[in-house]
């Protein structure tokens, strides 16, 4: 969905392939260790926060609370910053925007 929107041209920091893998890890925790799963969830929450702040989410979704999503992402990220990964870096980029 994201890669087909004009928002991708405005905010190109999100790699479509990496983000697809991140979604798979976040929603199938059996495929990854706890740290990878938490980092993936943090990235999803950071992405949702970005969408909510810029009001770029589909109308079919419920209204998103950008602040709440950002706080959840920050809490998860604080738990997993022991190891630097591409997903963690992508999450940090999303949170500072």
């Amino acid at each position: 969905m994201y890669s087909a929107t004009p928002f991708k041209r405005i905010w190109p920091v999100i790699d479509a392939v990496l983000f697809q893998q991140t979604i798979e890890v976040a929603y199938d925790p059996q495929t990854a260790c706890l740290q990878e799963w938490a980092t993936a969830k943090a990235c999803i929450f950071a992405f949702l926060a970005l969408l909510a702040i810029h009001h770029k989410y589909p109308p079919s979704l419920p209204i998103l609370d950008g602040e709440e999503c950002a706080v959840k992402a920050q809490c998860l990220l604080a738990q997993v910053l022991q190891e630097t990964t591409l997903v963690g870096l992508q999450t940090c980029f999303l949170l500072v925007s």
Side-chain angles (χ1 to χ4, degrees), residues 12-73:
V13 73
I14 302 162
D15 179 78
V17 174
L18 178 60
F19 195 64
Q20 180 60 42
Q21 293 170 349
T22 302
I23 291 169
E24 291 168 9
V25 170
Y27 288 98
D28 189 8
Q30 303 301 323
T31 62
C33 71
L34 184 60
Q35 185 171 358
E36 288 175 310
W37 178 78
T39 304
K41 293 292 271 192
C43 189
I44 301 296
F45 279 121
F47 180 73
L48 291 174
L50 183 67
L51 290 180
I53 290 167
H54 293 284
H55 305 288
K56 297 292 183 186
Y57 52 90
S60 60
L61 290 178
I63 295 174
L64 297 171
D65 182 343
E67 289 288 323
E68 183 178 343
C69 289
V71 167
K72 287 181 180 181

